[in-house]
mmCIF file of all heavy atoms in Angstrom:
data_model
loop_
_atom_site.group_PDB
_atom_site.id
_atom_site.type_symbol
_atom_site.label_atom_id
_atom_site.label_comp_id
_atom_site.label_asym_id
_atom_site.label_seq_id
_atom_site.Cartn_x
_atom_site.Cartn_y
_atom_site.Cartn_z
ATOM 1 N N TYR A 1 4.408 -15.949 -18.313
ATOM 2 C CA TYR A 1 4.907 -16.695 -19.465
ATOM 3 C C TYR A 1 4.039 -17.943 -19.653
ATOM 4 O O TYR A 1 3.937 -18.774 -18.745
ATOM 5 C CB TYR A 1 6.361 -17.109 -19.249
ATOM 6 C CG TYR A 1 7.292 -15.937 -19.004
ATOM 7 C CD1 TYR A 1 7.661 -15.586 -17.708
ATOM 8 C CD2 TYR A 1 7.790 -15.185 -20.068
ATOM 9 C CE1 TYR A 1 8.515 -14.531 -17.475
ATOM 10 C CE2 TYR A 1 8.654 -14.128 -19.856
ATOM 11 C CZ TYR A 1 9.009 -13.795 -18.550
ATOM 12 O OH TYR A 1 9.848 -12.739 -18.324
ATOM 13 N N PRO A 2 3.412 -18.105 -20.821
ATOM 14 C CA PRO A 2 2.515 -19.257 -21.035
ATOM 15 C C PRO A 2 3.151 -20.601 -20.713
ATOM 16 O O PRO A 2 2.470 -21.512 -20.228
ATOM 17 C CB PRO A 2 2.160 -19.146 -22.524
ATOM 18 C CG PRO A 2 2.264 -17.678 -22.817
ATOM 19 C CD PRO A 2 3.419 -17.186 -21.987
ATOM 20 N N ALA A 3 4.452 -20.746 -20.948
ATOM 21 C CA ALA A 3 5.116 -22.022 -20.688
ATOM 22 C C ALA A 3 5.145 -22.355 -19.195
ATOM 23 O O ALA A 3 5.277 -23.526 -18.821
ATOM 24 C CB ALA A 3 6.542 -21.991 -21.240
ATOM 25 N N ASN A 4 5.040 -21.321 -18.349
ATOM 26 C CA ASN A 4 5.096 -21.545 -16.892
ATOM 27 C C ASN A 4 3.718 -21.722 -16.269
ATOM 28 O O ASN A 4 3.610 -22.092 -15.097
ATOM 29 C CB ASN A 4 5.796 -20.371 -16.201
ATOM 30 C CG ASN A 4 7.246 -20.230 -16.611
ATOM 31 O OD1 ASN A 4 7.837 -21.172 -17.137
ATOM 32 N ND2 ASN A 4 7.824 -19.064 -16.370
ATOM 33 N N VAL A 5 2.679 -21.427 -17.027
ATOM 34 C CA VAL A 5 1.325 -21.415 -16.460
ATOM 35 C C VAL A 5 0.823 -22.836 -16.244
ATOM 36 O O VAL A 5 0.904 -23.680 -17.135
ATOM 37 C CB VAL A 5 0.357 -20.646 -17.393
ATOM 38 C CG1 VAL A 5 -1.071 -20.737 -16.868
ATOM 39 C CG2 VAL A 5 0.788 -19.192 -17.502
ATOM 40 N N ARG A 6 0.301 -23.088 -15.025
ATOM 41 C CA ARG A 6 -0.291 -24.376 -14.685
ATOM 42 C C ARG A 6 -1.618 -24.142 -13.975
ATOM 43 O O ARG A 6 -1.794 -23.128 -13.285
ATOM 44 C CB ARG A 6 0.643 -25.186 -13.776
ATOM 45 C CG ARG A 6 1.895 -25.669 -14.474
ATOM 46 C CD ARG A 6 2.867 -26.270 -13.476
ATOM 47 N NE ARG A 6 2.218 -27.172 -12.544
ATOM 48 C CZ ARG A 6 2.819 -27.691 -11.466
ATOM 49 N NH1 ARG A 6 4.082 -27.391 -11.210
ATOM 50 N NH2 ARG A 6 2.153 -28.503 -10.657
ATOM 51 N N ALA A 7 -2.516 -25.082 -14.101
ATOM 52 C CA ALA A 7 -3.814 -24.952 -13.441
ATOM 53 C C ALA A 7 -3.666 -24.840 -11.924
ATOM 54 O O ALA A 7 -4.464 -24.179 -11.259
ATOM 55 C CB ALA A 7 -4.690 -26.158 -13.785
ATOM 56 N N ASP A 8 -2.611 -25.441 -11.372
ATOM 57 C CA ASP A 8 -2.393 -25.415 -9.917
ATOM 58 C C ASP A 8 -2.287 -23.998 -9.365
ATOM 59 O O ASP A 8 -2.582 -23.772 -8.183
ATOM 60 C CB ASP A 8 -1.110 -26.175 -9.568
ATOM 61 C CG ASP A 8 -1.169 -27.622 -9.990
ATOM 62 O OD1 ASP A 8 -1.200 -27.908 -11.202
ATOM 63 O OD2 ASP A 8 -1.186 -28.489 -9.103
ATOM 64 N N TRP A 9 -1.828 -23.059 -10.174
ATOM 65 C CA TRP A 9 -1.592 -21.700 -9.654
ATOM 66 C C TRP A 9 -2.883 -20.919 -9.455
ATOM 67 O O TRP A 9 -2.848 -19.800 -8.964
ATOM 68 C CB TRP A 9 -0.687 -20.915 -10.606
ATOM 69 C CG TRP A 9 0.576 -21.542 -11.075
ATOM 70 C CD1 TRP A 9 1.192 -21.307 -12.273
ATOM 71 C CD2 TRP A 9 1.418 -22.483 -10.390
ATOM 72 N NE1 TRP A 9 2.344 -22.043 -12.381
ATOM 73 C CE2 TRP A 9 2.514 -22.777 -11.224
ATOM 74 C CE3 TRP A 9 1.337 -23.116 -9.150
ATOM 75 C CZ2 TRP A 9 3.524 -23.658 -10.878
ATOM 76 C CZ3 TRP A 9 2.351 -24.013 -8.794
ATOM 77 C CH2 TRP A 9 3.412 -24.271 -9.640
ATOM 78 N N PHE A 10 -4.037 -21.492 -9.800
ATOM 79 C CA PHE A 10 -5.266 -20.705 -9.807
ATOM 80 C C PHE A 10 -6.346 -21.299 -8.895
ATOM 81 O O PHE A 10 -7.508 -21.354 -9.236
ATOM 82 C CB PHE A 10 -5.780 -20.545 -11.238
ATOM 83 C CG PHE A 10 -4.750 -19.946 -12.156
ATOM 84 C CD1 PHE A 10 -4.007 -20.747 -13.004
ATOM 85 C CD2 PHE A 10 -4.486 -18.587 -12.107
ATOM 86 C CE1 PHE A 10 -3.036 -20.206 -13.816
ATOM 87 C CE2 PHE A 10 -3.505 -18.035 -12.919
ATOM 88 C CZ PHE A 10 -2.776 -18.839 -13.779
ATOM 89 N N ILE A 11 -5.915 -21.739 -7.714
ATOM 90 C CA ILE A 11 -6.841 -22.153 -6.660
ATOM 91 C C ILE A 11 -7.102 -20.938 -5.775
ATOM 92 O O ILE A 11 -6.177 -20.354 -5.226
ATOM 93 C CB ILE A 11 -6.263 -23.307 -5.824
ATOM 94 C CG1 ILE A 11 -5.913 -24.490 -6.739
ATOM 95 C CG2 ILE A 11 -7.246 -23.723 -4.741
ATOM 96 C CD1 ILE A 11 -7.101 -25.062 -7.474
ATOM 97 N N ARG A 12 -8.345 -20.543 -5.653
ATOM 98 C CA ARG A 12 -8.685 -19.312 -4.937
ATOM 99 C C ARG A 12 -9.596 -19.603 -3.742
ATOM 100 O O ARG A 12 -10.470 -20.478 -3.829
ATOM 101 C CB ARG A 12 -9.436 -18.335 -5.860
ATOM 102 C CG ARG A 12 -8.903 -18.212 -7.261
ATOM 103 C CD ARG A 12 -7.620 -17.461 -7.322
ATOM 104 N NE ARG A 12 -7.324 -17.046 -8.691
ATOM 105 C CZ ARG A 12 -6.174 -16.497 -9.067
ATOM 106 N NH1 ARG A 12 -5.213 -16.313 -8.179
ATOM 107 N NH2 ARG A 12 -5.977 -16.141 -10.319
ATOM 108 N N PRO A 13 -9.424 -18.864 -2.638
ATOM 109 C CA PRO A 13 -10.457 -18.912 -1.591
ATOM 110 C C PRO A 13 -11.740 -18.333 -2.159
ATOM 111 O O PRO A 13 -11.735 -17.292 -2.815
ATOM 112 C CB PRO A 13 -9.870 -18.045 -0.479
ATOM 113 C CG PRO A 13 -8.846 -17.183 -1.147
ATOM 114 C CD PRO A 13 -8.320 -17.966 -2.303
ATOM 115 N N ALA A 14 -12.859 -18.999 -1.937
ATOM 116 C CA ALA A 14 -14.104 -18.658 -2.630
ATOM 117 C C ALA A 14 -15.099 -17.896 -1.762
ATOM 118 O O ALA A 14 -16.276 -17.819 -2.109
ATOM 119 C CB ALA A 14 -14.753 -19.920 -3.176
ATOM 120 N N ASP A 15 -14.675 -17.319 -0.641
ATOM 121 C CA ASP A 15 -15.583 -16.576 0.229
ATOM 122 C C ASP A 15 -16.256 -15.442 -0.543
ATOM 123 O O ASP A 15 -15.592 -14.718 -1.301
ATOM 124 C CB ASP A 15 -14.818 -15.960 1.408
ATOM 125 C CG ASP A 15 -14.039 -17.004 2.193
ATOM 126 O OD1 ASP A 15 -13.268 -17.743 1.554
ATOM 127 O OD2 ASP A 15 -14.176 -17.054 3.412
ATOM 128 N N PHE A 16 -17.557 -15.271 -0.348
ATOM 129 C CA PHE A 16 -18.266 -14.186 -1.013
ATOM 130 C C PHE A 16 -19.511 -13.808 -0.225
ATOM 131 O O PHE A 16 -20.002 -14.563 0.619
ATOM 132 C CB PHE A 16 -18.654 -14.569 -2.450
ATOM 133 C CG PHE A 16 -19.774 -15.582 -2.528
ATOM 134 C CD1 PHE A 16 -21.103 -15.166 -2.588
ATOM 135 C CD2 PHE A 16 -19.512 -16.941 -2.539
ATOM 136 C CE1 PHE A 16 -22.144 -16.089 -2.655
ATOM 137 C CE2 PHE A 16 -20.535 -17.868 -2.609
ATOM 138 C CZ PHE A 16 -21.855 -17.437 -2.665
ATOM 139 N N PHE A 17 -20.011 -12.610 -0.518
ATOM 140 C CA PHE A 17 -21.284 -12.142 0.027
ATOM 141 C C PHE A 17 -22.114 -11.617 -1.136
ATOM 142 O O PHE A 17 -21.590 -10.935 -2.028
ATOM 143 C CB PHE A 17 -21.087 -11.032 1.058
ATOM 144 C CG PHE A 17 -22.385 -10.383 1.477
ATOM 145 C CD1 PHE A 17 -23.159 -10.937 2.473
ATOM 146 C CD2 PHE A 17 -22.837 -9.221 0.846
ATOM 147 C CE1 PHE A 17 -24.366 -10.362 2.852
ATOM 148 C CE2 PHE A 17 -24.039 -8.639 1.219
ATOM 149 C CZ PHE A 17 -24.800 -9.208 2.223
ATOM 150 N N LYS A 18 -23.417 -11.927 -1.116
ATOM 151 C CA LYS A 18 -24.324 -11.410 -2.141
ATOM 152 C C LYS A 18 -25.584 -10.857 -1.494
ATOM 153 O O LYS A 18 -26.097 -11.426 -0.532
ATOM 154 C CB LYS A 18 -24.727 -12.514 -3.134
ATOM 155 C CG LYS A 18 -23.693 -12.819 -4.186
ATOM 156 C CD LYS A 18 -24.244 -13.786 -5.227
ATOM 157 C CE LYS A 18 -23.225 -14.059 -6.319
ATOM 158 N NZ LYS A 18 -23.771 -14.960 -7.375
ATOM 159 N N LEU A 19 -26.031 -9.744 -2.029
ATOM 160 C CA LEU A 19 -27.371 -9.259 -1.705
ATOM 161 C C LEU A 19 -28.324 -10.063 -2.575
ATOM 162 O O LEU A 19 -28.528 -9.762 -3.747
ATOM 163 C CB LEU A 19 -27.487 -7.763 -1.996
ATOM 164 C CG LEU A 19 -28.846 -7.123 -1.690
ATOM 165 C CD1 LEU A 19 -29.217 -7.288 -0.223
ATOM 166 C CD2 LEU A 19 -28.846 -5.646 -2.094
ATOM 167 N N ARG A 20 -28.871 -11.124 -1.988
ATOM 168 C CA ARG A 20 -29.645 -12.078 -2.773
ATOM 169 C C ARG A 20 -30.936 -11.477 -3.320
ATOM 170 O O ARG A 20 -31.333 -11.764 -4.449
ATOM 171 C CB ARG A 20 -29.976 -13.297 -1.912
ATOM 172 C CG ARG A 20 -28.785 -14.175 -1.580
ATOM 173 C CD ARG A 20 -28.224 -14.823 -2.806
ATOM 174 N NE ARG A 20 -27.256 -15.868 -2.481
ATOM 175 C CZ ARG A 20 -26.541 -16.515 -3.375
ATOM 176 N NH1 ARG A 20 -26.651 -16.226 -4.660
ATOM 177 N NH2 ARG A 20 -25.686 -17.450 -3.011
ATOM 178 N N SER A 21 -31.606 -10.666 -2.519
ATOM 179 C CA SER A 21 -32.882 -10.126 -2.990
ATOM 180 C C SER A 21 -33.194 -8.803 -2.310
ATOM 181 O O SER A 21 -32.802 -8.566 -1.156
ATOM 182 C CB SER A 21 -34.022 -11.119 -2.741
ATOM 183 O OG SER A 21 -34.189 -11.349 -1.355
ATOM 184 N N LEU A 22 -33.892 -7.953 -3.012
ATOM 185 C CA LEU A 22 -34.412 -6.684 -2.494
ATOM 186 C C LEU A 22 -35.764 -6.452 -3.151
ATOM 187 O O LEU A 22 -35.862 -6.450 -4.378
ATOM 188 C CB LEU A 22 -33.457 -5.528 -2.804
ATOM 189 C CG LEU A 22 -33.933 -4.137 -2.397
ATOM 190 C CD1 LEU A 22 -34.074 -4.030 -0.885
ATOM 191 C CD2 LEU A 22 -32.975 -3.067 -2.915
ATOM 192 N N SER A 23 -36.808 -6.294 -2.332
ATOM 193 C CA SER A 23 -38.162 -6.180 -2.872
ATOM 194 C C SER A 23 -38.921 -5.041 -2.207
ATOM 195 O O SER A 23 -38.736 -4.777 -1.014
ATOM 196 C CB SER A 23 -38.946 -7.486 -2.671
ATOM 197 O OG SER A 23 -38.314 -8.562 -3.309
ATOM 198 N N ILE A 24 -39.758 -4.380 -2.991
ATOM 199 C CA ILE A 24 -40.663 -3.353 -2.489
ATOM 200 C C ILE A 24 -42.073 -3.718 -2.949
ATOM 201 O O ILE A 24 -42.304 -3.954 -4.136
ATOM 202 C CB ILE A 24 -40.277 -1.957 -3.020
ATOM 203 C CG1 ILE A 24 -38.836 -1.609 -2.609
ATOM 204 C CG2 ILE A 24 -41.239 -0.903 -2.505
ATOM 205 C CD1 ILE A 24 -38.339 -0.305 -3.213
ATOM 206 N N HIS A 25 -42.996 -3.808 -2.002
ATOM 207 C CA HIS A 25 -44.384 -4.163 -2.306
ATOM 208 C C HIS A 25 -45.286 -2.969 -1.964
ATOM 209 O O HIS A 25 -45.285 -2.495 -0.827
ATOM 210 C CB HIS A 25 -44.822 -5.390 -1.503
ATOM 211 C CG HIS A 25 -43.934 -6.577 -1.704
ATOM 212 N ND1 HIS A 25 -44.104 -7.457 -2.743
ATOM 213 C CD2 HIS A 25 -42.866 -7.017 -1.002
ATOM 214 C CE1 HIS A 25 -43.177 -8.395 -2.671
ATOM 215 N NE2 HIS A 25 -42.419 -8.154 -1.617
ATOM 216 N N ILE A 26 -46.032 -2.512 -2.949
ATOM 217 C CA ILE A 26 -46.903 -1.348 -2.768
ATOM 218 C C ILE A 26 -48.340 -1.755 -3.072
ATOM 219 O O ILE A 26 -48.688 -2.004 -4.237
ATOM 220 C CB ILE A 26 -46.482 -0.188 -3.695
ATOM 221 C CG1 ILE A 26 -45.001 0.161 -3.470
ATOM 222 C CG2 ILE A 26 -47.362 1.029 -3.465
ATOM 223 C CD1 ILE A 26 -44.482 1.205 -4.428
ATOM 224 N N PRO A 27 -49.196 -1.874 -2.060
ATOM 225 C CA PRO A 27 -50.613 -2.168 -2.320
ATOM 226 C C PRO A 27 -51.272 -1.016 -3.078
ATOM 227 O O PRO A 27 -51.011 0.166 -2.798
ATOM 228 C CB PRO A 27 -51.201 -2.319 -0.910
ATOM 229 C CG PRO A 27 -50.029 -2.568 -0.021
ATOM 230 C CD PRO A 27 -48.888 -1.816 -0.616
ATOM 231 N N ILE A 28 -52.092 -1.351 -4.036
ATOM 232 C CA ILE A 28 -52.796 -0.338 -4.826
ATOM 233 C C ILE A 28 -54.229 -0.230 -4.304
ATOM 234 O O ILE A 28 -54.960 -1.229 -4.296
ATOM 235 C CB ILE A 28 -52.794 -0.719 -6.317
ATOM 236 C CG1 ILE A 28 -51.345 -0.821 -6.822
ATOM 237 C CG2 ILE A 28 -53.564 0.313 -7.135
ATOM 238 C CD1 ILE A 28 -51.245 -1.279 -8.254
ATOM 239 N N PRO A 29 -54.638 0.940 -3.833
ATOM 240 C CA PRO A 29 -55.999 1.106 -3.285
ATOM 241 C C PRO A 29 -57.066 0.706 -4.301
ATOM 242 O O PRO A 29 -56.898 0.863 -5.522
ATOM 243 C CB PRO A 29 -56.064 2.598 -2.965
ATOM 244 C CG PRO A 29 -54.638 3.006 -2.773
ATOM 245 C CD PRO A 29 -53.850 2.170 -3.744
ATOM 246 N N SER A 30 -58.179 0.209 -3.777
ATOM 247 C CA SER A 30 -59.243 -0.295 -4.648
ATOM 248 C C SER A 30 -59.856 0.801 -5.514
ATOM 249 O O SER A 30 -60.391 0.516 -6.584
ATOM 250 C CB SER A 30 -60.329 -0.953 -3.800
ATOM 251 O OG SER A 30 -60.851 -0.026 -2.852
ATOM 252 N N LYS A 31 -59.759 2.054 -5.056
ATOM 253 C CA LYS A 31 -60.343 3.131 -5.866
ATOM 254 C C LYS A 31 -59.612 3.315 -7.194
ATOM 255 O O LYS A 31 -60.131 3.933 -8.123
ATOM 256 C CB LYS A 31 -60.347 4.435 -5.078
ATOM 257 C CG LYS A 31 -58.971 4.963 -4.722
ATOM 258 C CD LYS A 31 -59.084 6.261 -3.925
ATOM 259 C CE LYS A 31 -57.726 6.825 -3.545
ATOM 260 N NZ LYS A 31 -57.846 8.072 -2.756
ATOM 261 N N PHE A 32 -58.372 2.799 -7.268
ATOM 262 C CA PHE A 32 -57.628 2.886 -8.523
ATOM 263 C C PHE A 32 -57.778 1.638 -9.382
ATOM 264 O O PHE A 32 -57.332 1.603 -10.519
ATOM 265 C CB PHE A 32 -56.141 3.125 -8.248
ATOM 266 C CG PHE A 32 -55.847 4.431 -7.560
ATOM 267 C CD1 PHE A 32 -55.191 4.447 -6.333
ATOM 268 C CD2 PHE A 32 -56.220 5.633 -8.126
ATOM 269 C CE1 PHE A 32 -54.919 5.642 -5.692
ATOM 270 C CE2 PHE A 32 -55.956 6.842 -7.496
ATOM 271 C CZ PHE A 32 -55.304 6.844 -6.272
ATOM 272 N N THR A 33 -58.374 0.590 -8.810
ATOM 273 C CA THR A 33 -58.474 -0.678 -9.543
ATOM 274 C C THR A 33 -59.906 -1.096 -9.821
ATOM 275 O O THR A 33 -60.139 -2.188 -10.351
ATOM 276 C CB THR A 33 -57.790 -1.800 -8.740
ATOM 277 O OG1 THR A 33 -58.466 -1.960 -7.493
ATOM 278 C CG2 THR A 33 -56.321 -1.481 -8.499
ATOM 279 N N GLY A 34 -60.858 -0.290 -9.428
ATOM 280 C CA GLY A 34 -62.244 -0.631 -9.675
ATOM 281 C C GLY A 34 -62.807 -1.644 -8.703
ATOM 282 O O GLY A 34 -63.758 -2.341 -9.041
ATOM 283 N N GLY A 35 -62.178 -1.793 -7.534
ATOM 284 C CA GLY A 35 -62.729 -2.667 -6.506
ATOM 285 C C GLY A 35 -61.916 -3.908 -6.221
ATOM 286 O O GLY A 35 -62.033 -4.489 -5.143
ATOM 287 N N SER A 36 -61.088 -4.361 -7.139
ATOM 288 C CA SER A 36 -60.277 -5.553 -6.890
ATOM 289 C C SER A 36 -58.956 -5.170 -6.217
ATOM 290 O O SER A 36 -58.508 -4.027 -6.293
ATOM 291 C CB SER A 36 -59.994 -6.280 -8.204
ATOM 292 O OG SER A 36 -59.292 -5.431 -9.100
ATOM 293 N N GLU A 37 -58.337 -6.143 -5.526
ATOM 294 C CA GLU A 37 -57.072 -5.899 -4.852
ATOM 295 C C GLU A 37 -55.911 -6.073 -5.835
ATOM 296 O O GLU A 37 -55.949 -6.921 -6.712
ATOM 297 C CB GLU A 37 -56.907 -6.868 -3.683
ATOM 298 C CG GLU A 37 -57.940 -6.684 -2.580
ATOM 299 C CD GLU A 37 -57.695 -7.634 -1.427
ATOM 300 O OE1 GLU A 37 -56.777 -8.484 -1.548
ATOM 301 O OE2 GLU A 37 -58.414 -7.538 -0.426
ATOM 302 N N ALA A 38 -54.886 -5.273 -5.640
ATOM 303 C CA ALA A 38 -53.705 -5.357 -6.504
ATOM 304 C C ALA A 38 -52.492 -4.874 -5.724
ATOM 305 O O ALA A 38 -52.609 -4.101 -4.760
ATOM 306 C CB ALA A 38 -53.892 -4.538 -7.774
ATOM 307 N N THR A 39 -51.335 -5.338 -6.121
ATOM 308 C CA THR A 39 -50.072 -4.947 -5.497
ATOM 309 C C THR A 39 -49.031 -4.747 -6.576
ATOM 310 O O THR A 39 -48.889 -5.579 -7.485
ATOM 311 C CB THR A 39 -49.586 -6.025 -4.505
ATOM 312 O OG1 THR A 39 -50.582 -6.250 -3.508
ATOM 313 C CG2 THR A 39 -48.299 -5.585 -3.826
ATOM 314 N N PHE A 40 -48.322 -3.644 -6.470
ATOM 315 C CA PHE A 40 -47.191 -3.383 -7.368
ATOM 316 C C PHE A 40 -45.919 -3.835 -6.653
ATOM 317 O O PHE A 40 -45.661 -3.434 -5.516
ATOM 318 C CB PHE A 40 -47.096 -1.895 -7.712
ATOM 319 C CG PHE A 40 -45.868 -1.548 -8.499
ATOM 320 C CD1 PHE A 40 -45.807 -1.770 -9.865
ATOM 321 C CD2 PHE A 40 -44.754 -1.006 -7.864
ATOM 322 C CE1 PHE A 40 -44.673 -1.457 -10.583
ATOM 323 C CE2 PHE A 40 -43.614 -0.680 -8.584
ATOM 324 C CZ PHE A 40 -43.578 -0.914 -9.946
#
């Protein structure tokens, strides 16, 4: 009921976990780049 709603009722424990980052690095051989180094 909107008349009963107060900000006090919505204090929550804030514990959380996140997978912050995930990366894959693939070096590209020079034969595909004409001699220079590159990474995907």
Side-chain angles (χ1 to χ4, degrees):
Y1 302 98
N4 296 342
V5 175
R6 291 171 46 189
D8 299 67
W9 310 150
F10 304 100
I11 303 299
R12 318 287 195 188
D15 305 53
F16 72 90
F17 171 85
K18 281 187 178 182
L19 180 59
R20 290 294 191 186
S21 63
L22 176 64
S23 300
I24 302 174
H25 304 274
I26 305 175
I28 300 176
S30 58
K31 64 181 180 181
F32 297 122
T33 62
S36 60
E37 296 182 355
T39 302
F40 173 80

